[in-house]
Amino acid sequence: MTETSRNGEYDDWLDSIEAGEGYYVECDEGHGWLPPRRVCPDCGSRELREEPLPDSGEIATHTTITVATPQFEDDAPYVTAIADFGPVSVTGLVRGVDPEDVSMADVVGIEVGERETTGERAVVFRPR
Amino acid sequence: MPDPRIAGAGVTQFGKHPERTGRDLFADAGLEALDQSGVEPEDVDALYYGNFMGELAEHQGHQGPLMAEAIGIDAPATRLEAACASAGAAVREAVKTLRNGESEVVVVGGAERMTNIGTAAATDALAIAADDLYEVRAGMTFPGAYALMARAYFAEYGGSHEDLGHVAVKNHEHALVNDHAQIQSEITLDEAMEAPTIAAPLGLYDSCPITDGAAAAVLTTEEYAAEHDLDAPVVISGSGQGGDNLALQDRPHLARTPAAEKAAEEAYADAGIEAGDVDVAEVHDCFTIAEVLAIESLGLFDPGEGIHAATEGVTTRHGEMPVNLSGGLKAKGHPVGATGVAQLATIAWVLDGTHPRADAVPDGRVGVAHNAGGTVASTTVHVLEVRE
């Protein structure tokens, strides 16, 4: 990987979130995944279609990280969470709320932000 | 199909050895294992070797042949990488090749050099066992990943950080007499509770240390052991491996580890035993919550009950089901690529009565070793039995 290389469908997906047109991919049996996916790991289907990502999700679990990797050194402490968006779950940074006030089942929206340490893009959740 | 026998094992002192190369560490463990086994090095047919972060920590890939050289064996050597389950995967390959008749004598082992790059770089290196695009770029560290699982567990089954503290206190106490252990000091529950937070709700004492070390074992067939009159009373009677989605976000259940459940089911069926037959277990407690998830996935405790096992004393050396008599990863240390074979060695020594904590199970016949990679996307389980 170089700094100028894109990560294919992953960066396309971030672009879609930035544009307010987020999506996920789904097979005929309703299993949802984030791209890139060629095959549904649940049922093996190769027929995956894009569906709109719901506007909001619920925090399924979260943590406040104080010991970070060098890529997040200036971000710490920060909250990382997995949010349930129905057919898919997404991992992201929770911003716009005091870490102490983040709770299970909080409703959040999804957007793309920047890491404070590196300026690279990251998935960000904000309370709704 | 005759079960492979463990003819000898060697484990370095786990700890901070930043100036020692991986090959030097592995030579210590491998030569000790060979010497203990009584096997001639020229009889070794293969080396299976676990290592995770060699490229990042030592700028060294292709470590299989390097490690064969380091212990003076001229045999095909393969490195296996399954994150923290790398050595468990190596054991599984060794068992297969001995059972299918390709080999008569195999060295299995692993090593990791970690402290030379410092805590931040080691945290970064460990993180690459997670999904880079969807987890690492969202700030997930390994303590962070297990913190996510801990919070999900508490929400589903109950339990508290204090229950996890009892796991840490237990494993530190177990390690007191283990000279291989990185940390040989007791901690109190208050100390565990008051330790600095790493990734809430997990604190410093919920986490295993960053460790340098190596482990190796010599495995052989029933026939070879008999022909050469080897003292090898412990067999590997069951082997299993399970997998799961790499990213936590893609799993339907954050408070269970189905990969380990699959591995245990396969290993128990292979050995012809049930969970109730197990006398002692070494499990992958890279974080205190990981021990809870492990003992439930092994069927030693029902889902939701493992969290109370240490609190109630059941998994202590005085309890009905001692877990991590070595001190576990928590106190013994976790040189990632070596851990699975170190667990194997511990169970073998407990069952043959030579481990300093063997008195916890004086009549123990059956032990299990549970080695988990990443957030349990890879898991191996091996059943060991005494068979004179």
Side-chain angles (χ1 to χ4, degrees), chain B residues 57-92:
Chain B
E58 288 200 281
H59 198 247
Q60 183 65 66
H62 204 186
Q63 293 195 12
L66 181 69
M67 298 308 170
E69 276 184 60
I71 59 171
I73 62 173
D74 179 14
T78 307
R79 168 184 164 187
L80 290 99
E81 189 273 299
C84 310
S86 296
V91 172
R92 191 164 158 74

Side-chain angles (χ1 to χ4, degrees), chain B residues 231-313:
Chain B
D231 179 22
V234 179
V235 302
I236 302 175
S237 59
S239 176
Q241 184 167 356
D244 205 345
N245 301 104
L246 184 64
L248 282 176
Q249 67 185 22
D250 290 330
R251 299 183 197 168
H253 212 298
L254 295 174
R256 300 273 294 270
T257 53
E261 293 170 18
K262 290 176 208 164
E265 189 177 336
E266 185 181 2
Y268 291 168
D270 190 26
I273 67 156
E274 297 177 347
D277 296 321
V278 174
D279 298 311
V280 61
E282 284 286 307
V283 306
H284 198 97
D285 60 324
C286 48
F287 300 94
T288 48
I289 185 66
E291 177 167 310
V292 173
L293 296 168
I295 59 178
E296 292 182 4
S297 66
L298 289 170
L300 306 177
F301 295 85
D302 289 335
E305 294 188 356
I307 187 74
H308 306 297
T311 306
E312 293 170 354

Side-chain angles (χ1 to χ4, degrees), chain B:
Chain B
M1 189 183 309
D3 294 318
R5 286 185 177 265
I6 301 172
V11 179
T12 67
Q13 200 272 330
F14 284 2
K16 293 183 179 179
H17 308 290
E19 76 291 351
R20 293 194 65 187
T21 59
R23 68 188 84 185
D24 185 37
L25 290 165
F26 187 71
D28 270 7
L31 293 174
E32 183 184 350
L34 283 166
D35 291 348
Q36 191 186 95
S37 72
V39 165
E40 294 299 326
E42 55 266 29
D43 283 358
V44 177
D45 297 310
L47 168 67
Y48 293 101
Y49 168 82
N51 175 262
F52 174 58
M53 61 173 70
E55 289 86 351
L56 297 173
E58 288 200 281
H59 198 247
Q60 183 65 66
H62 204 186
Q63 293 195 12
L66 181 69
M67 298 308 170
E69 276 184 60
I71 59 171
I73 62 173
D74 179 14
T78 307
R79 168 184 164 187
L80 290 99
E81 189 273 299
C84 310
S86 296
V91 172
R92 191 164 158 74
E93 290 307 303
V95 169
K96 287 181 195 173
T97 191
L98 289 163
R99 281 180 164 177
N100 70 22
E102 283 184 23
S103 304
E104 280 195 304
V105 180
V106 175
V107 174
V108 64
E112 209 74 61
R113 184 184 185 191
M114 301 172 70
T115 68
N116 59 309
I117 57 176
T119 300
T123 302
D124 192 30
L126 290 165
I128 67 168
D131 184 318
D132 177 61
L133 296 181
Y134 281 105
E135 295 187 308
V136 180
R137 288 161 194 255
M140 189 184 284
T141 60
F142 256 84
Y146 277 90
L148 294 172
M149 296 167 85
R151 193 160 259 140
Y153 185 100
F154 293 158
E156 180 147 359
Y157 297 119
S160 67
H161 187 210
E162 188 166 310
D163 288 312
L164 297 180
H166 282 280
V167 176
V169 169
K170 166 183 77 74
N171 289 347
H172 275 255
E173 199 275 338
H174 284 177
L176 286 176
V177 296
N178 180 2
D179 290 338
H180 294 126
Q182 181 166 4
I183 304 170
Q184 286 184 272
S185 58
E186 285 189 275
I187 59 168
T188 65
L189 185 61
D190 284 346
E191 286 171 330
M193 292 297 91
E194 290 164 11
T197 299
I198 295 176
L202 303 183
L204 183 64
Y205 285 151
D206 290 295
S207 174
C208 67
I210 293 169
T211 311
D212 306 305
V218 178
L219 311 184
T220 186
T221 60
E222 186 87 34
E223 293 78 8
Y224 184 96
E227 285 169 16
H228 293 79
D229 197 24
L230 301 184
D231 179 22
V234 179
V235 302
I236 302 175
S237 59
S239 176
Q241 184 167 356
D244 205 345
N245 301 104
L246 184 64
L248 282 176
Q249 67 185 22
D250 290 330
R251 299 183 197 168
H253 212 298
L254 295 174
R256 300 273 294 270
T257 53
E261 293 170 18
K262 290 176 208 164
E265 189 177 336
E266 185 181 2
Y268 291 168
D270 190 26
I273 67 156
E274 297 177 347
D277 296 321
V278 174
D279 298 311
V280 61
E282 284 286 307
V283 306
H284 198 97
D285 60 324
C286 48
F287 300 94
T288 48
I289 185 66
E291 177 167 310
V292 173
L293 296 168
I295 59 178
E296 292 182 4
S297 66
L298 289 170
L300 306 177
F301 295 85
D302 289 335
E305 294 188 356
I307 187 74
H308 306 297
T311 306
E312 293 170 354
V314 183
T315 48
T316 68
R317 65 191 173 96
H318 303 295
E320 293 173 20
M321 176 52 63
V323 172
N324 285 330
L325 287 171
S326 67
L329 285 55
K330 174 71 198 77
K332 182 183 61 181
H334 180 30
V336 175
T339 287
V341 171
Q343 293 175 321
L344 193 82
T346 296
I347 292 291
W349 291 333
V350 168
L351 293 180
D352 74 14
T354 58
H355 191 278
R357 288 292 189 211
D359 58 356
V361 281
D363 301 316
R365 305 289 297 179
V366 180
V368 293
H370 158 286
N371 188 199
T375 47
V376 202
S378 300
T379 310
T380 63
V381 172
H382 287 94
V383 178
L384 277 61
E385 295 186 61
V386 178
R387 198 172 293 160
E388 302 292 350

Side-chain angles (χ1 to χ4, degrees), chain A residues 1-119:
Chain A
M1 188 186 75
T2 68
E3 289 185 9
T4 55
S5 295
R6 283 173 60 87
N7 281 297
E9 292 170 57
Y10 170 74
D11 277 319
D12 294 346
W13 181 75
L14 287 183
D15 291 346
S16 78
I17 300 290
E18 278 185 317
E21 298 171 352
Y23 64 92
Y24 65 98
V25 296
E26 187 178 76
C27 68
D28 286 342
E29 293 192 24
H31 304 133
W33 307 94
L34 299 179
R37 290 281 178 184
R38 301 286 296 278
V39 179
C40 172
D42 264 8
C43 65
S45 171
R46 297 187 186 185
E47 303 298 322
L48 303 176
R49 62 185 174 278
E50 292 183 5
E51 295 288 341
L53 187 72
D55 287 340
S56 61
E58 282 190 5
I59 288 183
T61 186
H62 61 94
T63 178
T64 302
I65 292 175
T66 44
V67 178
T69 64
Q71 290 78 23
F72 281 86
E73 190 174 15
D74 295 338
D75 294 71
Y78 58 90
V79 179
T80 290
I82 297 175
D84 178 357
F85 284 79
V88 290
S89 292
V90 184
T91 311
L93 302 166
V94 182
R95 289 183 176 162
V97 58
D98 190 302
E100 296 288 326
D101 295 332
V102 177
S103 298
M104 306 288 268
D106 280 356
V107 176
V108 293
I110 185 169
E111 60 189 66
V112 174
E114 288 187 353
R115 295 188 223 166
E116 289 180 29
T117 311
T118 65

